[in-house]
Amino acid sequence: MTTFRARAFLALSTPAAVLLAALGPAPPAAGAQRAASLDARVTAVSARELGRSWHPGCPVAPAGLRLIRMNHWGFDGRVHAGELVVRKQAVRPLLYVFGRAFDARFPIRRMRPMAAYGGSDTAAMKADNTSAFNCRAVTGDASRLSQHSYGDAVDINTLENPYVDRNGRVYPAAGAAFLDRRRTAKGMIKAGDVITTAMRRVGWQWGGRWRSPDYQHFSADGR
């Protein structure tokens, strides 16, 4: 499988600090310790790898998706390897966002493709997973197709940033403890923080501002 370094997806105007976060620093001198970096790698992804998160009839074919492998800071203060499946057009903006998050040491519990959860959004949210592509209906409203089906929406730290559906049900249920957004907790997303600021800069919108808030959710078209 051909692998493309993140450089191919970043504009030349991208700030140098972001390039370093996405591409990693230059090779260290002999005896020097390599600094932690985003170390992003972007590859194609197959239907087999997508598992139950994709099926024939989904609005985006596997050829239109990409797998981003990148590092992130964990809740334990250490660097962990993560994987995120996104639409091809979403690679560049999300590399910028997660590059900023990495620089700020914003903690992410885990980042695994939805195939690891059999395409179950409920299971992924319960696990506090950060993910993007998943061809499915809106959780709590089976009549609508989720924007995640297009691969240009992402959910971050689902427990600390719960979703409240139009009937007032909280997903995941344990996320009810974090509905008071005045509190401060590791991994919470708040207006003006590194996540919302970076998302706004790339033109993505936050579900945390909806009438029925979805604090974990960001999307390219605001849905």
Side-chain angles (χ1 to χ4, degrees):
M1 180 181 294
T2 303
T3 300
F4 302 92
R5 292 292 298 196
R7 190 184 303 277
F9 296 89
L10 296 174
L12 293 176
S13 59
T14 304
V18 177
L19 285 173
L20 285 174
L23 303 177
Q33 185 175 3
R34 182 181 176 86
S37 69
L38 192 69
D39 193 26
R41 295 173 174 83
V42 182
T43 67
V45 62
S46 68
R48 180 183 61 80
E49 291 172 308
L50 293 171
R52 292 187 178 181
S53 70
W54 182 87
H55 56 81
C58 289
V60 179
L65 300 169
R66 295 292 182 268
L67 171 63
I68 304 175
R69 293 184 174 93
M70 58 184 164
N71 292 332
H72 64 85
W73 289 98
F75 278 43
D76 59 0
R78 298 181 179 181
V79 175
H80 298 267
E83 295 185 342
L84 198 70
V85 176
V86 305
R87 194 170 189 168
K88 180 169 59 175
Q89 295 90 331
V91 169
R92 179 177 155 189
L94 288 182
L95 282 177
Y96 173 84
V97 170
F98 284 102
R100 291 294 193 192
F102 189 90
D103 284 349
R105 297 198 174 201
F106 179 86
I108 294 173
R109 177 85 65 182
R110 59 177 52 85
M111 184 189 293
R112 303 181 66 191
M114 286 302 300
Y117 299 93
S120 170
D121 189 45
T122 301
M125 284 193 289
K126 186 176 180 180
D128 204 11
N129 188 56
T130 293
S131 64
F133 174 78
N134 190 22
C135 187
R136 61 171 175 83
V138 171
T139 298
D141 186 358
S143 67
R144 295 188 294 134
L145 191 66
S146 169
Q147 199 60 32
H148 289 277
S149 303
Y150 298 87
D152 53 8
V154 62
D155 291 339
I156 301 173
N157 288 345
T158 52
L159 176 62
E160 293 77 19
N161 303 290
Y163 160 52
V164 182
D165 72 13
R166 62 184 183 179
N167 298 312
R169 184 174 179 181
V170 180
Y171 297 88
F178 297 92
L179 286 179
D180 182 357
R181 306 309 285 181
R182 295 169 300 178
R183 66 177 294 186
T184 298
K186 189 179 297 185
M188 284 183 72
I189 296 170
K190 295 189 176 185
D193 69 4
V194 64
I195 298 291
T196 57
T197 299
M199 288 288 187
R200 185 170 59 250
R201 183 166 183 178
V202 299
W204 284 41
Q205 298 180 50
W206 184 31
R209 298 187 179 281
W210 296 347
R211 177 174 296 180
S212 297
D214 194 349
Y215 296 110
Q216 63 196 249
H217 183 86
F218 294 87
S219 63
D221 68 354
R223 290 187 291 180

Coordinates of all heavy atoms in Angstrom, one line a residue, residues 91-172:
V91 N -8.5 15.6 5.3 CA -7.2 15.3 5.8 C -6.4 16.6 6.2 O -6.0 16.8 7.3 CB -6.4 14.5 4.8 CG1 -4.9 14.5 5.2 CG2 -6.9 13.1 4.6
R92 N -6.4 17.5 5.3 CA -5.6 18.8 5.5 C -6.1 19.6 6.7 O -5.3 19.9 7.6 CB -5.5 19.6 4.2 CG -4.8 20.9 4.4 CD -4.7 21.6 3.1 NE -4.5 23.1 3.2 CZ -4.6 23.9 2.3 NH1 -4.9 23.5 1.0 NH2 -4.5 25.2 2.5
P93 N -7.4 19.9 6.8 CA -7.9 20.7 7.9 C -7.7 19.9 9.3 O -7.4 20.5 10.3 CB -9.4 20.9 7.6 CG -9.7 20.0 6.6 CD -8.5 19.8 5.8
L94 N -7.9 18.6 9.3 CA -7.8 17.9 10.5 C -6.3 17.7 11.0 O -6.1 17.6 12.1 CB -8.5 16.5 10.4 CG -10.0 16.7 10.4 CD1 -10.7 15.3 10.4 CD2 -10.6 17.4 11.6
L95 N -5.4 17.6 10.0 CA -4.0 17.6 10.4 C -3.6 18.9 11.1 O -2.9 18.9 12.0 CB -3.1 17.4 9.2 CG -3.0 15.9 8.7 CD1 -2.1 15.9 7.4 CD2 -2.4 15.0 9.8
Y96 N -4.2 20.0 10.6 CA -3.9 21.3 11.2 C -4.5 21.3 12.6 O -3.8 21.6 13.6 CB -4.6 22.4 10.4 CG -4.5 23.8 11.1 CD1 -3.3 24.5 11.0 CD2 -5.5 24.2 11.9 CE1 -3.2 25.8 11.7 CE2 -5.4 25.4 12.6 CZ -4.3 26.2 12.5 OH -4.2 27.4 13.1
V97 N -5.8 20.9 12.8 CA -6.4 20.9 14.1 C -5.7 20.0 15.1 O -5.3 20.4 16.2 CB -7.9 20.5 14.0 CG1 -8.5 20.2 15.4 CG2 -8.7 21.5 13.2
F98 N -5.4 18.8 14.7 CA -4.7 17.8 15.7 C -3.3 18.2 15.9 O -2.7 17.9 16.9 CB -4.9 16.4 15.2 CG -6.3 15.9 15.5 CD1 -7.3 15.8 14.5 CD2 -6.7 15.6 16.8 CE1 -8.6 15.4 14.7 CE2 -8.0 15.1 17.1 CZ -8.9 15.0 16.0
G99 N -2.7 18.9 14.9 CA -1.3 19.4 15.1 C -1.3 20.5 16.2 O -0.5 20.5 17.1
R100 N -2.3 21.4 16.2 CA -2.4 22.4 17.2 C -2.7 21.7 18.6 O -2.2 22.1 19.6 CB -3.6 23.4 16.9 CG -3.3 24.3 15.7 CD -2.2 25.2 16.0 NE -2.1 26.3 15.0 CZ -1.1 27.1 14.8 NH1 0.0 27.0 15.6 NH2 -1.1 28.0 13.9
A101 N -3.6 20.7 18.6 CA -4.0 20.1 19.8 C -2.7 19.4 20.4 O -2.5 19.4 21.6 CB -5.1 19.0 19.5
F102 N -1.9 18.8 19.5 CA -0.7 18.1 20.0 C 0.3 19.1 20.6 O 0.8 18.9 21.7 CB 0.0 17.3 18.9 CG 1.1 16.4 19.3 CD1 0.8 15.1 19.7 CD2 2.4 16.9 19.5 CE1 1.8 14.3 20.1 CE2 3.4 16.1 19.9 CZ 3.1 14.8 20.3
D103 N 0.5 20.2 20.0 CA 1.4 21.2 20.5 C 0.9 21.7 21.9 O 1.7 22.0 22.7 CB 1.4 22.4 19.5 CG 2.3 22.1 18.3 OD1 3.0 21.1 18.3 OD2 2.2 22.9 17.3
A104 N -0.4 21.8 22.0 CA -0.9 22.3 23.3 C -1.1 21.2 24.4 O -1.5 21.5 25.5 CB -2.3 22.9 23.1
R105 N -0.7 20.0 24.0 CA -0.9 18.8 24.8 C -2.3 18.6 25.3 O -2.5 18.1 26.4 CB 0.1 18.9 26.0 CG 1.6 18.9 25.6 CD 2.5 18.6 26.8 NE 3.8 18.4 26.4 CZ 4.8 17.8 27.1 NH1 4.5 17.2 28.2 NH2 6.0 17.7 26.6
F106 N -3.2 18.9 24.4 CA -4.6 18.6 24.7 C -4.8 17.1 24.8 O -4.5 16.4 23.8 CB -5.5 19.2 23.6 CG -7.0 18.9 23.9 CD1 -7.7 19.8 24.7 CD2 -7.6 17.8 23.3 CE1 -9.1 19.5 24.9 CE2 -9.0 17.6 23.5 CZ -9.7 18.4 24.3
P107 N -5.4 16.5 25.9 CA -5.4 15.1 26.0 C -6.6 14.4 25.3 O -7.7 15.0 25.3 CB -5.6 14.9 27.5 CG -6.3 16.1 28.0 CD -5.8 17.2 27.1
I108 N -6.3 13.3 24.6 CA -7.3 12.5 24.0 C -7.3 11.1 24.5 O -6.2 10.5 24.6 CB -7.1 12.5 22.4 CG1 -7.3 13.9 21.9 CG2 -8.0 11.5 21.7 CD1 -6.9 14.0 20.4
R109 N -8.4 10.6 25.0 CA -8.4 9.3 25.7 C -7.9 8.2 24.7 O -7.1 7.4 25.1 CB -9.9 9.0 26.1 CG -10.0 7.7 26.8 CD -9.7 7.7 28.2 NE -10.7 8.6 28.9 CZ -10.6 8.8 30.2 NH1 -9.7 8.3 31.0 NH2 -11.5 9.6 30.8
R110 N -8.6 8.1 23.6 CA -8.2 7.1 22.6 C -8.7 7.5 21.2 O -9.6 8.3 21.1 CB -8.6 5.7 22.9 CG -10.1 5.5 23.1 CD -10.5 4.1 23.4 NE -9.8 3.5 24.5 CZ -10.2 3.7 25.8 NH1 -11.3 4.4 26.1 NH2 -9.5 3.1 26.8
M111 N -8.0 7.0 20.2 CA -8.4 7.4 18.8 C -8.3 6.1 18.0 O -7.2 5.8 17.5 CB -7.4 8.5 18.3 CG -7.8 9.0 16.9 SD -6.5 10.1 16.3 CE -6.6 11.5 17.4
R112 N -9.4 5.5 17.8 CA -9.4 4.2 17.0 C -10.5 4.3 15.9 O -11.6 4.9 16.1 CB -9.7 3.0 17.9 CG -8.7 2.9 19.1 CD -9.1 1.7 19.9 NE -8.9 0.4 19.2 CZ -9.3 -0.8 19.6 NH1 -10.0 -0.8 20.8 NH2 -9.1 -1.8 18.9
P113 N -10.3 3.7 14.7 CA -11.4 3.7 13.7 C -12.6 3.0 14.2 O -12.6 2.1 15.1 CB -10.7 2.9 12.6 CG -9.2 3.1 12.8 CD -9.1 3.1 14.3
M114 N -13.7 3.4 13.6 CA -15.0 2.8 14.1 C -15.1 1.3 13.8 O -15.9 0.6 14.4 CB -16.2 3.5 13.4 CG -16.4 4.9 14.0 SD -16.7 4.9 15.8 CE -18.2 3.9 15.9
A115 N -14.3 0.8 12.9 CA -14.3 -0.7 12.7 C -14.0 -1.4 13.9 O -14.4 -2.6 14.1 CB -13.3 -1.0 11.6
A116 N -13.2 -0.8 14.8 CA -12.8 -1.5 16.1 C -14.0 -1.6 17.0 O -14.0 -2.4 17.9 CB -11.8 -0.6 16.8
Y117 N -15.1 -0.9 16.7 CA -16.3 -1.0 17.5 C -17.5 -1.6 16.7 O -18.7 -1.4 17.1 CB -16.7 0.4 18.1 CG -15.6 0.9 19.0 CD1 -14.6 1.8 18.5 CD2 -15.5 0.6 20.3 CE1 -13.6 2.3 19.3 CE2 -14.5 1.1 21.1 CZ -13.5 1.9 20.6 OH -12.5 2.4 21.4
G118 N -17.2 -2.2 15.6 CA -18.2 -2.8 14.8 C -19.2 -1.8 14.2 O -20.3 -2.1 13.9
G119 N -18.7 -0.6 14.1 CA -19.6 0.5 13.6 C -20.6 1.0 14.6 O -21.4 1.9 14.2
S120 N -20.5 0.6 15.8 CA -21.5 1.0 16.8 C -21.0 2.3 17.5 O -20.1 2.4 18.2 CB -21.6 -0.1 17.9 OG -22.3 0.4 19.0
D121 N -21.8 3.4 17.2 CA -21.5 4.7 17.8 C -21.7 4.6 19.3 O -21.0 5.3 20.0 CB -22.4 5.7 17.2 CG -22.1 7.1 17.6 OD1 -20.9 7.5 17.6 OD2 -23.0 7.9 17.9
T122 N -22.7 3.9 19.8 CA -23.0 3.8 21.2 C -21.8 3.2 21.9 O -21.3 3.7 23.0 CB -24.2 2.9 21.4 OG1 -25.3 3.5 20.8 CG2 -24.5 2.8 22.9
A123 N -21.2 2.1 21.3 CA -20.0 1.5 22.0 C -18.8 2.4 22.0 O -18.1 2.5 22.9 CB -19.7 0.2 21.2
A124 N -18.6 3.1 20.8 CA -17.5 4.0 20.7 C -17.6 5.2 21.7 O -16.6 5.5 22.4 CB -17.4 4.5 19.3
M125 N -18.8 5.7 21.9 CA -18.9 6.8 22.8 C -18.7 6.3 24.3 O -18.1 7.0 25.1 CB -20.3 7.4 22.7 CG -20.5 8.3 21.4 SD -22.0 9.3 21.5 CE -23.2 8.1 21.2
K126 N -19.2 5.2 24.6 CA -19.0 4.6 25.9 C -17.6 4.4 26.2 O -17.1 4.6 27.4 CB -19.8 3.3 26.0 CG -19.8 2.7 27.4 CD -20.6 1.4 27.5 CE -20.6 0.8 28.9 NZ -21.4 -0.4 28.9
A127 N -16.8 4.1 25.2 CA -15.3 3.9 25.4 C -14.5 5.2 25.3 O -13.3 5.2 25.4 CB -14.8 3.0 24.3
D128 N -15.3 6.4 25.2 CA -14.6 7.7 25.2 C -13.6 7.8 24.0 O -12.6 8.3 24.1 CB -13.9 8.0 26.5 CG -13.7 9.5 26.7 OD1 -14.3 10.3 26.0 OD2 -12.9 9.8 27.6
N129 N -14.1 7.2 22.9 CA -13.2 7.2 21.7 C -13.4 8.4 20.8 O -14.5 9.0 20.7 CB -13.6 5.9 20.8 CG -12.7 5.7 19.7 OD1 -11.4 5.6 19.9 ND2 -13.2 5.7 18.5
T130 N -12.3 8.8 20.2 CA -12.3 9.9 19.2 C -12.3 9.3 17.8 O -11.4 8.5 17.5 CB -11.1 10.8 19.4 OG1 -11.2 11.5 20.7 CG2 -10.9 11.9 18.3
S131 N -13.3 9.7 17.0 CA -13.4 9.1 15.6 C -14.0 10.0 14.7 O -14.6 11.1 15.1 CB -14.2 7.8 15.7 OG -15.5 8.0 16.1
A132 N -14.0 9.6 13.4 CA -14.6 10.5 12.3 C -15.5 9.7 11.5 O -16.7 9.6 11.8 CB -13.5 11.1 11.5
F133 N -15.0 9.0 10.4 CA -15.9 8.3 9.5 C -16.7 7.2 10.1 O -16.1 6.3 10.8 CB -15.2 7.8 8.3 CG -16.0 6.9 7.4 CD1 -16.9 7.5 6.5 CD2 -16.0 5.5 7.4 CE1 -17.8 6.7 5.7 CE2 -16.8 4.8 6.6 CZ -17.7 5.4 5.8
N134 N -18.0 7.1 9.9 CA -18.8 6.0 10.3 C -20.1 6.1 9.5 O -20.9 7.1 9.8 CB -19.1 5.9 11.8 CG -19.7 4.6 12.2 OD1 -19.6 3.6 11.5 ND2 -20.4 4.7 13.4
C135 N -20.4 5.2 8.6 CA -21.6 5.3 7.8 C -22.8 4.8 8.6 O -23.0 3.6 8.8 CB -21.4 4.5 6.5 SG -22.8 4.7 5.3
R136 N -23.6 5.7 9.1 CA -24.7 5.4 10.0 C -25.7 6.5 10.0 O -25.5 7.6 9.5 CB -24.1 5.2 11.4 CG -23.5 6.4 12.0 CD -23.1 6.3 13.4 NE -22.4 7.4 14.0 CZ -22.9 8.5 14.4 NH1 -24.2 8.7 14.3 NH2 -22.1 9.5 14.9
A137 N -26.8 6.2 10.7 CA -27.9 7.2 10.9 C -27.4 8.1 12.1 O -26.5 7.7 12.9 CB -29.2 6.6 11.2
V138 N -28.1 9.2 12.3 CA -27.8 10.0 13.5 C -28.2 9.3 14.7 O -29.3 8.7 14.8 CB -28.6 11.3 13.4 CG1 -28.5 12.1 14.7 CG2 -28.1 12.2 12.2
T139 N -27.3 9.3 15.7 CA -27.7 8.6 17.0 C -28.9 9.3 17.6 O -28.8 10.5 17.8 CB -26.5 8.6 17.9 OG1 -25.4 7.9 17.3 CG2 -26.8 8.0 19.3
G140 N -29.9 8.5 17.9 CA -31.1 9.1 18.5 C -32.1 9.6 17.5 O -33.2 10.1 17.8
D141 N -31.8 9.5 16.2 CA -32.7 9.9 15.1 C -32.4 9.1 13.8 O -31.6 9.5 13.0 CB -32.6 11.4 14.8 CG -33.6 11.9 13.8 OD1 -34.4 11.0 13.3 OD2 -33.6 13.1 13.5
A142 N -33.0 7.9 13.8 CA -32.7 7.0 12.7 C -33.2 7.5 11.3 O -32.9 6.9 10.3 CB -33.4 5.6 13.0
S143 N -34.0 8.6 11.3 CA -34.5 9.1 10.0 C -33.5 9.9 9.3 O -33.7 10.3 8.1 CB -35.8 9.9 10.3 OG -35.4 11.1 11.0
R144 N -32.4 10.3 9.9 CA -31.4 11.1 9.2 C -30.0 10.4 9.1 O -29.6 9.7 10.0 CB -31.3 12.5 10.0 CG -32.5 13.3 9.9 CD -32.2 14.7 10.5 NE -31.9 14.6 11.9 CZ -30.9 15.3 12.5 NH1 -30.0 16.0 11.8 NH2 -30.7 15.2 13.8
L145 N -29.4 10.7 8.0 CA -28.0 10.2 7.8 C -27.0 11.1 8.5 O -27.0 12.3 8.3 CB -27.7 10.1 6.4 CG -26.4 9.3 6.0 CD1 -26.5 7.8 6.3 CD2 -26.1 9.4 4.5
S146 N -26.2 10.5 9.4 CA -25.1 11.3 10.1 C -24.1 11.8 9.1 O -23.8 11.2 8.1 CB -24.4 10.4 11.1 OG -23.3 11.0 11.7
Q147 N -23.6 13.0 9.5 CA -22.5 13.6 8.7 C -21.3 12.8 8.8 O -20.4 12.9 7.9 CB -22.3 15.1 9.2 CG -21.5 15.9 8.2 CD -22.3 16.1 6.9 OE1 -23.5 16.1 6.8 NE2 -21.6 16.2 5.8
H148 N -21.1 12.0 9.8 CA -20.0 11.1 9.8 C -20.0 10.1 8.7 O -18.9 9.6 8.3 CB -20.0 10.3 11.2 CG -19.8 11.1 12.4 ND1 -18.5 11.4 12.8 CD2 -20.6 11.7 13.2 CE1 -18.5 12.2 13.8 NE2 -19.8 12.4 14.1
S149 N -21.1 9.9 8.0 CA -21.2 9.0 6.9 C -20.4 9.5 5.7 O -20.0 8.8 4.8 CB -22.6 8.8 6.4 OG -23.4 8.3 7.5
Y150 N -20.1 10.8 5.7 CA -19.3 11.5 4.6 C -17.9 11.6 5.0 O -17.1 12.0 4.2 CB -19.9 12.9 4.3 CG -21.3 12.8 3.8 CD1 -22.4 12.8 4.7 CD2 -21.6 12.7 2.5 CE1 -23.7 12.7 4.3 CE2 -22.9 12.7 2.0 CZ -24.0 12.7 2.9 OH -25.3 12.6 2.5
G151 N -17.5 11.3 6.2 CA -16.1 11.4 6.7 C -15.6 12.8 6.9 O -14.4 13.0 7.1
D152 N -16.5 13.8 7.0 CA -16.1 15.1 7.3 C -16.7 15.7 8.5 O -17.1 16.8 8.6 CB -16.3 16.1 6.1 CG -17.8 16.1 5.6 OD1 -18.6 15.4 6.3 OD2 -18.0 16.7 4.6
A153 N -16.8 14.8 9.5 CA -17.2 15.2 10.9 C -16.4 14.3 11.8 O -16.0 13.2 11.5 CB -18.7 14.9 11.1
V154 N -16.1 14.9 13.0 CA -15.3 14.2 14.0 C -15.8 14.4 15.4 O -16.4 15.5 15.7 CB -13.8 14.7 13.9 CG1 -13.7 16.1 14.3 CG2 -12.9 13.8 14.9
D155 N -15.8 13.3 16.2 CA -16.2 13.4 17.6 C -15.0 13.2 18.5 O -14.2 12.3 18.3 CB -17.2 12.3 17.9 CG -18.6 12.5 17.3 OD1 -18.9 13.6 16.9 OD2 -19.3 11.5 17.1
I156 N -14.8 14.1 19.5 CA -13.6 14.1 20.3 C -13.9 13.9 21.8 O -14.8 14.6 22.3 CB -12.8 15.4 20.1 CG1 -12.4 15.6 18.6 CG2 -11.6 15.5 21.0 CD1 -11.8 17.0 18.3
N157 N -13.3 12.9 22.4 CA -13.5 12.7 23.8 C -15.0 12.7 24.2 O -15.5 13.6 24.9 CB -12.8 13.8 24.7 CG -11.3 13.6 24.7 OD1 -10.7 12.6 24.2 ND2 -10.6 14.6 25.1
T158 N -15.6 11.6 23.7 CA -17.1 11.6 23.8 C -17.7 11.6 25.2 O -18.8 12.0 25.4 CB -17.6 10.3 23.0 OG1 -16.9 9.2 23.5 CG2 -17.3 10.5 21.6
L159 N -17.0 11.0 26.2 CA -17.5 11.0 27.6 C -17.5 12.4 28.2 O -18.5 12.9 28.7 CB -16.6 10.1 28.4 CG -17.0 10.0 29.9 CD1 -18.4 9.5 30.1 CD2 -16.0 9.1 30.7
E160 N -16.3 13.1 28.1 CA -16.2 14.4 28.6 C -17.0 15.5 27.9 O -17.2 16.6 28.3 CB -14.7 14.8 28.7 CG -13.9 14.0 29.7 CD -13.5 12.6 29.1 OE1 -13.6 12.4 27.9 OE2 -13.2 11.7 30.0
N161 N -17.4 15.1 26.6 CA -18.1 16.1 25.8 C -19.3 15.4 25.2 O -19.4 15.0 24.0 CB -17.2 16.5 24.6 CG -15.9 17.1 25.2 OD1 -15.9 18.2 25.7 ND2 -14.8 16.4 25.1
P162 N -20.4 15.2 26.0 CA -21.5 14.4 25.7 C -22.4 15.0 24.6 O -22.3 16.2 24.3 CB -22.3 14.2 27.0 CG -21.9 15.4 27.8 CD -20.5 15.7 27.4
Y163 N -23.2 14.2 24.0 CA -24.2 14.6 23.1 C -25.6 14.5 23.7 O -25.9 13.5 24.3 CB -24.1 13.7 21.8 CG -25.3 13.6 20.9 CD1 -25.9 14.8 20.4 CD2 -25.8 12.4 20.5 CE1 -27.0 14.7 19.6 CE2 -26.9 12.3 19.7 CZ -27.5 13.5 19.2 OH -28.6 13.4 18.3
V164 N -26.5 15.5 23.5 CA -27.8 15.5 24.0 C -28.8 15.5 22.8 O -28.7 16.4 22.0 CB -28.1 16.7 24.9 CG1 -29.5 16.6 25.5 CG2 -27.1 16.8 26.0
D165 N -29.5 14.4 22.6 CA -30.4 14.4 21.4 C -31.6 15.2 21.6 O -31.9 15.8 22.7 CB -30.7 12.9 21.0 CG -31.7 12.2 22.0 OD1 -32.4 12.9 22.8 OD2 -31.9 11.0 21.9
R166 N -32.5 15.3 20.6 CA -33.6 16.2 20.6 C -34.7 15.9 21.7 O -35.5 16.7 22.0 CB -34.3 16.3 19.2 CG -34.8 15.0 18.7 CD -35.3 15.1 17.3 NE -35.9 13.9 16.8 CZ -36.5 13.8 15.6 NH1 -36.5 14.8 14.8 NH2 -37.0 12.6 15.2
N167 N -34.6 14.6 22.2 CA -35.5 14.2 23.2 C -34.9 14.3 24.6 O -35.5 13.9 25.6 CB -35.9 12.7 23.0 CG -36.6 12.5 21.7 OD1 -37.5 13.2 21.4 ND2 -36.2 11.6 20.9
G168 N -33.7 14.9 24.7 CA -33.0 15.1 26.0 C -32.2 13.9 26.5 O -31.7 14.0 27.6
R169 N -32.1 12.9 25.7 CA -31.3 11.7 26.1 C -29.8 12.0 25.9 O -29.4 12.6 24.9 CB -31.7 10.5 25.3 CG -30.9 9.2 25.8 CD -31.5 8.0 25.1 NE -30.8 6.8 25.5 CZ -31.0 5.6 25.0 NH1 -31.9 5.4 24.1 NH2 -30.3 4.5 25.5
V170 N -29.0 11.6 26.9 CA -27.6 11.9 26.9 C -26.8 10.7 26.4 O -27.0 9.6 26.8 CB -27.1 12.3 28.3 CG1 -25.6 12.6 28.3 CG2 -27.9 13.5 28.8
Y171 N -25.8 11.0 25.5 CA -24.9 9.9 24.9 C -23.5 10.3 25.1 O -23.1 11.5 24.8 CB -25.2 9.7 23.5 CG -26.5 9.2 23.1 CD1 -27.6 10.1 22.9 CD2 -26.8 7.8 23.0 CE1 -28.8 9.6 22.5 CE2 -28.1 7.4 22.6 CZ -29.1 8.3 22.4 OH -30.3 7.9 22.0
P172 N -22.6 9.5 25.7 CA -23.0 8.3 26.5 C -23.7 8.6 27.8 O -23.6 9.8 28.2 CB -21.7 7.6 26.7 CG -20.7 8.7 26.8 CD -21.2 9.7 25.8

